[in-house]
Amino acid sequence: MTTFDDREQAFERKFALDNELEFKATARRNRLLGEWAAGLMGLATVEEYARAVVKSDFEQPGDEDVFRKVSEDLKGSGVAVSDSEVRMKMAELLAQAREQLKAGE
């Protein structure tokens, strides 16, 4: 193999690893978001709701399916949280999830 081939394979491995880490961070963010929302709604089944939020991410590409589920559930339960607050919480929890993964948690 040439040096170029070695570098190409290294970049491909890094790309795959970065994608895997981002997938894990998003899934962790969704679980944390579900726990946050369940707490606001006063649900007794926090873990069950958190799993439902994680599963909702597989409906469509992107974050809109997760945002829609949490936002609608909060409004449906009478919790007054704006859409911008939910989006800010999603961004905050994604950063937190990335840090947790980097720290090996």
Side-chain angles (χ1 to χ4, degrees):
M1 282 196 153
T2 65
T3 303
F4 181 76
D5 291 334
D6 292 340
R7 288 184 64 193
E8 181 181 19
Q9 287 182 350
F11 281 122
E12 288 173 0
R13 282 192 301 274
K14 182 176 180 344
F15 180 78
L17 180 62
D18 289 348
N19 282 339
E20 180 183 348
L21 287 174
E22 191 61 21
F23 175 80
K24 288 179 180 181
T26 301
R28 184 173 293 209
R29 185 265 328 258
N30 293 341
R31 182 180 54 80
L32 293 169
L33 183 68
E35 291 172 357
W36 171 77
L40 290 178
M41 292 185 284
L43 299 179
T45 56
V46 173
E47 279 301 314
E48 185 178 318
Y49 183 75
R51 280 193 298 275
V53 172
V54 171
K55 286 181 186 178
S56 73
D57 193 22
F58 298 110
E59 293 174 11
Q60 334 175 302
D63 292 336
E64 285 304 306
D65 43 359
V66 173
F67 167 76
R68 188 174 45 256
K69 176 178 182 32
V70 171
S71 183
E72 289 174 1
D73 289 350
L74 287 168
K75 288 176 185 163
S77 68
V79 177
V81 176
S82 70
D83 288 350
S84 62
E85 287 178 281
V86 174
R87 289 191 189 279
M88 284 189 336
K89 194 65 172 179
M90 289 175 73
E92 174 189 321
L93 291 174
L94 182 58
Q96 181 180 334
R98 286 176 179 147
E99 288 301 316
Q100 287 177 353
L101 286 172
K102 285 180 185 176
E105 295 177 22

